[in-house]
Amino acid sequence: MKLIYEKSERGRRASSLPRPDLPRGDVPESLRRTRPPRLPELSEPELVRHFTALADRTFGVDTGFYPLGSCTMKHNPRVNERIVALPGFRDLHPLQEEAASQGALELMWRLQEILGEIVGLPAVSLQPAAGSQGELTGLLLMHAYFADRGEDQQRREIVIPDTAHGTNPASVTMAGYEVVGIKTDRRGNVDLDDLRGKVGPRTAGLMLTNPSTLGLFDEGIEEITRIFHDAGALMYYDGANLNAICGISRPGDFGFDIVHFNLHKTFSQPHGGGGPGGGPIAVRERLEPFLPVPAVVRDGDLFRLDYERPKSIGKVRGFCGPFGVFVRSYAYIRSFGPGLKEMSEVAVLNANYLLARLKDAYELPFDRLCMHEFVLSGRRLKREHGVTTLDVAKRLMDYGFHPPTIYFPLIVPEALMIEPTETEPQETLDAFANAMLEIAREAAEQPELLKEAPHVRPVKRLDEVRAAKRPVVRYGFGEGDEPQAEGTPGEVRQLEAQKGA
Amino acid sequence: MSFLSLTEQDREQMLETIGVDSVDELFEQIPAAVRLGRPLQLEPALSEPELVAHLTELASRNADTGREISFLGAGIYDHYVPAVVDAVLARGEFLTAYTPYQPEMSQGVLQAIFEYQTAICELTGMDVSNASGYDGTTVAADACYVAKHATGRSKVVLAETLNPQVRQVVKTYAPGFGLDVVEVGHRDGTIDPDELQAAAADAACVIFQQPNFFGCLEPAPDLAAAAGRAGALAVAHVDPVSLGVLEAPGTYGCALAIGEGQSAGNYQSYGGPHYGFLAARSEFIRRMPGRISGETVDSEGERGFVLTLQTREQHIRREKATSNITTNQTLLALAGLVHLSWLGPQGLRELGETCLALSRHAQGRLSEAGLELVFPKKTTFKEFAVRVGRPAKEAIRDARSAGVHPGYALGRDYPGLDDAVLVAVTEKRTIEEIDRLVEVLTA
Amino acid sequence: MAATETYPDQLRYHAEHDWARIEGDEATLGITWFAQDSLGELVHFEPPAQGSTVAKDSSYGEVESVKAVSELISPLSGEIIAINQKVVEAPETVNEDPYEEGWLVRIRLSDSGEADSLLDAAAYKQILEEQ
């Protein structure tokens, strides 16, 4: 398929703009644009066809089953798209007078109250733009809290389990802390003996997801809380897996002091091919003064932005955060009410059902019921038939499914991390399970089907090594960016394909 | 509940397959002491019609730009978003896809990101762009991080004429990054290159804005040269829709170009979600935070796209990552690509010229009417600061009651400007609306 | 692509999967067969600056594959006197020949006594078995 630049034709144009009857404005020559940017030149019909073709080459939750672990690829309600397009939300400027933004301010305040109730913590900021930014904000809060108590020089370490999502240690480094890793035991819980030896006066806090990325609720959570609180440290909850426990258990109740939410996971903000998301945080009373500024507060019947926050860590993002995301999540939660509990119950039911159907054909590293997701290992297939989890994932594409997460968490070899979510019907779960069982059979009898998969996507398996070795990250406009031919038929064909596709 | 797909019968069958009697058994792994034991205290569920009614009521209590003539800018602008942007974003595949880690399932998203990266490079005159950052504030923190690692220096210099929120976010990130932040004050609305050079000794980078927060045009090539003489990287924070008439930062010596993408393709939406962009010269590619889509071939030699250089990112590098960013702003960046493609190079230039012409006209009319421009000697782009002869907040309140929002009260961010309003004039404003503005401000 | 699994007897090894060939007061450094096999095909080598000093057990650079980045841990202390440009230009050389063509840097030793603390081939192979 051609790039939009390859379809461009000089002089074509889609836009029409008002041209007021005024003298032409100009800028000083030293600041003036010399060469125009080579943006595409297409008519509107061509534009629409191009982006339609791109959409046709993309698989979303709307297309089919998308069981990525810890991503919570649930259905995104259409009514939310209608609501977010209301002019009162869509066309509202963030610096509008507060008296003329009461609907927006009230929505944010109510969402804060709701999120606080869901996790059992009283103070909420909606500002962070994504889960990982929520993590960074939480760590900056920890730092501010300890600095306020004169303990920040002493407490330089954050404890993270080996099952943690990569954003956790990355956020720790960005916040200026050091990572201390702890192991997972054979039940899939945090290894308490390992933990006890590593928590002390140098510890600022813990970062934990619960249930973990193994899909297991930590059975030792009460002891973990005791260990950290006895050491004067704080506990941070990564809310990526909140979909498992809404209305059933609350991180604030089982000891966490800071929680971040992923609005694009649990609360239905569509994933958008990689964003936008939302990463609000909820904190205990004693951390409230450090929250980002402005705070959204209620003053009788009015809602205001409070900038008088001398202990605040500052600002992590512009304005109040990704407001359009709040609108969708608020609408989503209002359509469940206390029935959010059923959302989590069905998420856990669906996951356990798939687990029951698949655990014999694949290896289950932790022999327990799971929560909203579970991890299998493809190790036996590799040992016995030489096919890897990567091959299984690519072959699933031929069956019309998006593969689950692969090679994560790191502690399970050849990992497959599967989260069906609560919006899937039983028929889909059965179809997926049947495909996985069929693939296990193919691995034994026709492994080349897996090794050469996918067969039915717009492209065959892509060469990621080449992309990293000789990065081509923009269109070259034919200016010497042609790749070097290396004499093998594949590369020669690729040059031809590039010109004509 | 219409989002759940299981029937009672389905549930019973599934419980039997699992080998438990009830859903409650599945939750026994949660210790009893930490179970909630009561319903969530949330208001009862709303049906879809009730939901729409409730949200419509909330929206009705917001004065959006359709309800008054708005000259409000200060970082977020009332530009026209063409219908084709809405149409593309409504495609469920784009809306509901995940980050494209399985490239064979997501060639559409990966190619769109590649095209977006190309567009940003073309606008800014740079070699490499990432797939987007959160917004125009966090990309400034990202740029400082790149500069620190590239130069080994930890001081960063920010122009006082850089958007106040951008500066505030950099300062929030600074302690964790180990940055020392220094500001350079403005001289009559712009930055003096010699003062910048002096401040930039031992700095990793300097960040200035073009056009700046006051709408004034900085002597950008001189500022970039001054940074260079001090051994610091020059970073320009730019307005994407100005780059049809203003020179590309890559052409006048900048190492990085960043900015807020909202003006290109996004609605105002009370401040978000939008997208930040970050582009750089090729030597910085391995230090760039964020996703990057790269071109490659498949096993039969067909061109395709993949996320590349993922070893910079958190899911591989973990504590050594160049950033912790995962979810970014792909859908909004896609909107930006569609908008820029709709404009094309001619349209982008015309858009810039129209904003220039209208804002010059507004400045002229307000001056004639006796209001004083704050920086009369400076050339501006689509915004300018004007004194309204009384506290700006009052003037705004009164103007709004006459159906006009005149702009942003600058006194909040800059001393001595309590009587000044920052007026933004986009291509959506008309000569008649500018007449109204003059009327209400001089009433 | 890669050579068969070997751990030459004349080299000395570090538990972080790096090797050293000691010749008088200089040493050549690289990564072992196990390291290149775990990483997969290398796509990038980030070398240290010529003339910089490196300390035993600390990082002197990085190699990258598509799926991982690995720090290079120096088995010995010294000054960097040469960098293998061939690997900079074609990182996959390390996969093809990790011990000869795929050498990474040469250093002038600052403390020849350090060599005693390194593992011989048998001891290193033992570590691999325990992995």
Side-chain angles (χ1 to χ4, degrees):
Chain A
M1 182 180 158
K2 284 189 179 172
L3 290 170
I4 197 169
Y5 303 96
E6 292 166 329
K7 298 177 179 176
S8 214
E9 194 76 38
R10 180 147 295 171
R12 286 219 195 109
R13 175 177 166 171
S15 55
S16 58
L17 293 165
R19 308 258 32 216
D21 185 16
L22 288 172
R24 219 183 98 135
D26 215 345
V27 299
E29 200 180 328
S30 60
L31 302 179
R32 202 180 299 155
R33 185 98 195 183
T34 47
R35 281 183 49 192
R38 287 168 296 186
L39 295 175
E41 296 183 77
L42 275 76
S43 64
E44 185 175 301
E46 294 172 298
L47 263 188
V48 170
R49 287 212 175 131
H50 178 76
F51 287 103
T52 300
L54 289 179
D56 283 344
R57 291 159 81 93
T58 298
F59 187 101
V61 175
D62 279 5
T63 316
F65 189 50
Y66 216 123
L68 289 176
S70 280
C71 295
T72 314
M73 303 299 292
K74 65 172 75 183
H75 171 71
N76 306 119
R78 286 305 103 114
V79 66
N80 293 349
E81 301 311 308
R82 180 186 286 188
I83 291 169
V84 104
L86 290 168
F89 295 135
R90 192 192 71 178
D91 299 329
L92 183 64
H93 192 290
L95 298 170
Q96 175 60 282
E97 288 189 306
E98 286 176 23
S101 317
Q102 286 295 297
L105 293 168
E106 180 174 339
L107 187 151
M108 290 193 295
W109 185 85
R110 285 183 181 231
L111 181 59
Q112 289 173 178
E113 296 289 296
I114 286 169
L115 293 176
E117 165 64 7
I118 289 171
V119 297
L121 289 169
V124 176
S125 170
L126 302 177
Q127 202 180 98
S132 54
Q133 211 193 28
E135 290 172 25
L136 179 64
T137 307
L139 292 165
L140 293 176
L141 281 175
M142 278 195 199
H143 185 264
Y145 170 79
F146 286 121
D148 198 48
R149 299 160 67 90
E151 293 174 40
D152 58 307
Q153 294 304 316
Q154 162 207 337
R155 295 184 184 273
R156 309 283 339 134
E157 293 171 0
I158 302 285
V159 176
I160 299 187
D162 52 11
T163 50
H165 192 271
T167 54
N168 291 175
S171 303
V172 167
T173 305
M174 284 174 82
Y177 280 114
E178 287 157 33
V179 173
V180 171
I182 48 171
K183 299 204 273 279
T184 300
D185 71 14
R186 302 185 51 170
R187 285 274 304 160
N189 300 318
V190 160
D191 183 328
L192 290 172
D193 292 322
D194 192 27
L195 182 64
R196 281 190 198 95
K198 294 181 175 170
V199 179
R202 291 185 48 76
T203 308
L206 168 73
M207 278 183 96
L208 191 73
T209 308
N210 193 23
S212 67
T213 56
L214 296 167
L216 303 171
F217 195 91
D218 200 304
E219 294 161 321
I221 190 64
E222 292 165 281
E223 179 63 11
I224 293 172
T225 303
R226 232 186 323 272
I227 291 170
F228 278 89
H229 287 162
D230 282 350
L234 294 170
M235 296 204 0
Y236 179 99
Y237 180 85
D238 179 331
N241 291 333
L242 197 58
N243 208 48
I245 58 170
C246 287
I248 293 153
S249 186
R250 306 194 307 174
D253 294 338
F254 52 80
F256 286 90
D257 305 298
I258 310 173
V259 171
H260 91 252
F261 303 82
N262 294 71
L263 297 182
H264 47 294
K265 297 185 180 189
T266 324
F267 299 114
S268 91
Q269 164 64 34
H271 285 84
I281 49 172
V283 302
R284 243 175 240 301
E285 195 79 55
R286 60 178 181 269
L287 290 158
E288 194 269 344
F290 308 101
L291 286 174
V293 68
V296 179
V297 298
R298 181 175 200 162
D299 217 334
D301 284 332
L302 284 179
F303 298 91
R304 296 192 300 112
L305 294 174
D306 179 14
Y307 288 91
E308 295 313 304
R309 304 191 52 87
K311 290 190 169 181
S312 164
I313 57 170
K315 221 167 171 25
V316 295
R317 191 212 174 275
F319 310 106
C320 295
F323 179 75
V325 176
F326 308 154
V327 173
R328 290 186 183 89
S329 291
Y330 175 73
Y332 182 73
I333 296 169
R334 292 303 312 265
S335 46
F336 274 96
L340 272 182
K341 181 178 181 191
E342 198 184 359
M343 170 189 85
S344 289
E345 287 174 338
V346 176
V348 170
L349 175 63
N350 279 357
N352 275 289
Y353 177 69
L354 266 187
L355 173 60
R357 291 217 47 201
L358 293 175
K359 67 180 180 184
D360 295 322
Y362 293 83
E363 239 178 78
L364 181 63
F366 299 95
D367 192 9
R368 285 170 58 176
L369 290 172
C370 65
M371 299 234 72
H372 67 310
E373 65 188 1
F374 60 97
V375 179
L376 298 171
S377 170
R379 186 166 46 174
R380 188 195 309 151
L381 291 181
K382 186 173 181 187
R383 211 171 35 229
E384 293 175 8
H385 310 294
V387 299
T388 62
T389 282
L390 181 71
D391 299 325
V392 171
K394 301 299 182 190
R395 183 62 180 149
L396 268 169
M397 296 179 187
D398 291 334
Y399 283 85
F401 300 107
H402 192 286
T405 304
I406 54 176
Y407 298 108
F408 184 81
L410 302 175
I411 64 169
V412 175
E414 299 295 316
L416 285 147
M417 184 184 178
I418 298 171
E419 180 186 357
T421 85
E422 72 283 1
T423 55
E424 297 301 329
Q426 189 188 359
E427 293 81 352
T428 306
L429 302 179
D430 282 330
F432 176 75
N434 293 340
M436 288 285 284
L437 296 172
E438 188 58 30
I439 290 172
R441 269 191 290 277
E442 287 174 350
E445 293 160 19
Q446 295 174 277
E448 67 286 352
L449 273 180
L450 281 73
K451 295 215 140 302
E452 287 157 19
H455 301 92
V456 305
R457 296 301 307 168
V459 290
K460 298 275 187 293
R461 205 179 288 200
L462 288 159
D463 186 348
E464 302 197 23
V465 171
R466 180 201 179 97
K469 248 198 225 172
R470 277 188 290 283
V472 174
V473 296
R474 53 159 297 166
Y475 179 61
F477 294 94
E479 285 168 357
D481 262 351
E482 306 301 335
Q484 307 300 314
E486 282 175 328
T488 64
E491 263 102 19
V492 170
R493 270 201 60 190
Q494 180 269 323
L495 275 174
E496 292 168 348
Q498 187 160 15
K499 286 172 181 142
Chain B
M1 180 43 65
S2 53
F3 307 129
L4 306 178
S5 309
L6 300 183
T7 64
E8 258 320 301
Q9 196 178 18
D10 292 333
R11 292 178 201 223
E12 275 165 33
Q13 259 173 38
M14 289 164 72
L15 288 170
E16 206 184 298
T17 304
I18 296 166
V20 296
D21 293 321
S22 69
V23 168
D24 285 340
E25 272 185 62
L26 300 174
F27 287 95
E28 276 169 8
Q29 59 188 287
I30 300 182
V34 303
R35 281 199 236 148
L36 181 56
R38 62 161 173 81
L40 285 170
Q41 269 157 21
L42 298 176
E43 291 183 73
L46 295 175
S47 67
E48 186 170 320
E50 290 166 319
L51 184 68
V52 173
H54 170 54
L55 272 295
T56 304
E57 193 281 323
L58 285 173
S60 72
R61 287 188 277 123
N62 299 326
D64 58 84
T65 52
R67 294 183 19 189
E68 58 188 16
I69 301 170
S70 178
F71 293 89
L72 191 48
I76 297 293
Y77 301 93
D78 185 20
H79 284 288
Y80 179 72
V81 178
V84 71
V85 168
D86 296 341
V88 171
L89 260 58
R91 280 294 293 248
E93 298 90 336
F94 289 133
L95 186 67
T96 66
Y98 189 66
T99 306
Y101 288 119
Q102 291 289 359
E104 300 87 359
M105 304 297 279
S106 313
Q107 283 299 290
V109 172
L110 285 161
Q111 182 173 331
I113 295 173
F114 186 84
E115 293 174 355
Y116 160 84
Q117 288 166 188
T118 303
I120 296 295
C121 288
E122 281 297 305
L123 285 184
T124 58
M126 294 291 175
D127 306 313
V128 33
S129 160
N130 69 11
S132 66
Y134 301 129
D135 71 350
T137 65
T138 57
V139 288
D142 290 336
C144 291
Y145 203 60
V146 173
K148 180 181 179 197
H149 285 272
T151 62
R153 298 170 166 191
S154 45
K155 177 168 134 185
V156 302
V157 178
L158 307 180
E160 193 195 3
T161 47
L162 176 62
N163 185 313
Q165 292 195 42
V166 175
R167 287 181 277 137
Q168 198 176 8
V169 168
V170 171
K171 289 175 189 166
T172 303
Y173 274 71
F177 282 7
L179 298 175
D180 271 306
V181 182
V182 157
E183 281 193 20
V184 173
H186 71 93
R187 295 271 159 253
D188 191 38
T190 56
I191 302 295
D192 177 276
D194 292 329
E195 287 179 29
L196 184 71
Q197 185 176 339
D202 303 319
C205 66
V206 318
I207 308 184
F208 58 86
Q209 184 174 322
Q210 179 73 312
N212 69 24
F213 190 68
F214 297 135
C216 298
L217 294 182
E218 298 277 7
D222 298 330
L223 295 180
R229 284 191 295 271
L233 299 178
V235 181
H237 190 289
V238 290
D239 177 352
V241 301
S242 71
L243 292 170
V245 300
L246 293 180
E247 186 60 290
T251 310
Y252 59 77
C254 291
L256 290 108
I258 58 178
E260 170 57 63
Q262 181 267 327
S263 288
N266 296 171
Y267 293 102
Q268 295 165 92
S269 190
Y270 203 58
H274 298 134
Y275 64 104
F277 57 89
L278 184 145
R281 292 200 303 250
S282 58
E283 71 234 50
F284 300 105
I285 188 174
R286 287 196 134 79
R287 298 193 197 279
M288 296 262 293
R291 300 274 126 65
I292 297 183
S293 173
E295 187 182 309
T296 186
V297 294
D298 75 1
S299 55
E300 290 183 357
E302 295 294 309
R303 177 174 65 188
F305 300 92
V306 293
L307 288 179
T308 192
L309 300 177
Q310 291 186 63
T311 50
R312 298 158 303 115
E313 296 187 58
Q314 45 73 33
H315 61 284
I316 292 177
R317 251 196 194 260
R318 300 174 69 89
E319 61 260 36
K320 301 222 161 60
T322 53
S323 161
N324 68 349
I325 190 169
T326 0
T327 296
N328 48 316
Q329 307 292 121
T330 303
L331 196 67
L332 288 311
L334 172 63
L337 170 66
V338 176
H339 188 221
L340 291 168
S341 303
W342 180 78
L343 284 171
Q346 301 288 66
L348 182 67
R349 201 194 73 236
E350 273 179 31
L351 176 57
E353 289 171 353
T354 300
C355 291
L356 264 175
L358 285 167
S359 75
R360 296 280 160 80
H361 176 72
Q363 278 179 290
R365 294 273 288 111
L366 287 165
S367 284
E368 283 162 27
L371 298 182
E372 186 198 325
L373 295 173
V374 180
F375 307 112
K377 299 205 215 86
K378 295 292 154 80
T379 316
T380 57
F381 177 58
K382 72 192 188 197
E383 266 179 309
F384 58 91
V386 64
R387 293 191 193 273
V388 292
R390 55 183 176 128
K393 291 200 177 126
E394 274 176 35
I396 290 167
R397 204 175 39 235
D398 292 344
R400 286 202 58 242
S401 62
V404 177
H405 195 314
Y408 179 67
L410 281 167
R412 181 142 126 202
D413 304 306
Y414 296 91
L417 290 180
D418 287 334
D419 61 336
V421 173
L422 184 64
V423 179
V425 188
T426 70
E427 78 286 11
K428 280 177 74 175
R429 301 288 73 84
T430 64
I431 292 170
E432 293 72 24
E433 288 176 340
I434 291 170
D435 289 341
R436 272 302 281 149
L437 173 71
V438 176
E439 267 174 53
V440 304
L441 284 180
T442 52
Chain C
M1 182 178 60
T4 42
E5 184 171 7
T6 59
Y7 302 102
D9 286 323
Q10 70 270 33
L11 302 180
R12 289 288 166 266
Y13 298 85
H14 188 286
E16 292 291 339
H17 314 295
D18 307 80
W19 56 262
R21 178 183 292 112
I22 302 170
E23 289 157 329
D25 69 342
E26 288 179 7
T28 307
L29 308 180
I31 63 172
T32 67
W33 186 95
F34 176 82
Q36 66 77 34
D37 182 62
S38 310
L39 286 167
E41 185 175 340
L42 294 194
V43 300
H44 186 68
F45 168 41
E46 191 71 41
Q50 184 112 349
S52 58
T53 47
V54 59
K56 175 175 156 53
D57 299 329
S58 65
S59 167
Y60 66 89
E62 283 173 355
V63 284
E64 270 182 48
S65 66
V66 169
K67 57 174 182 170
V69 187
S70 190
E71 280 190 319
L72 300 163
I73 302 300
S74 186
L76 300 161
S77 309
E79 182 197 326
I80 304 284
I81 57 176
I83 294 165
N84 189 352
Q85 265 312 112
K86 180 160 190 208
V87 170
V88 171
E89 278 150 32
E92 67 275 15
T93 309
V94 175
N95 302 99
E96 289 157 12
D97 184 2
Y99 303 111
E100 300 285 342
E101 292 287 307
W103 66 273
L104 296 178
V105 298
R106 280 183 70 77
I107 61 172
R108 180 169 300 114
L109 297 175
S110 55
D111 178 358
S112 40
E114 284 175 340
D116 298 334
S117 63
L118 296 180
L119 305 162
D120 64 12
Y124 178 65
K125 279 189 268 195
Q126 181 75 16
I127 289 188
L128 291 183
E129 257 151 63
E130 286 159 11
Q131 283 259 330

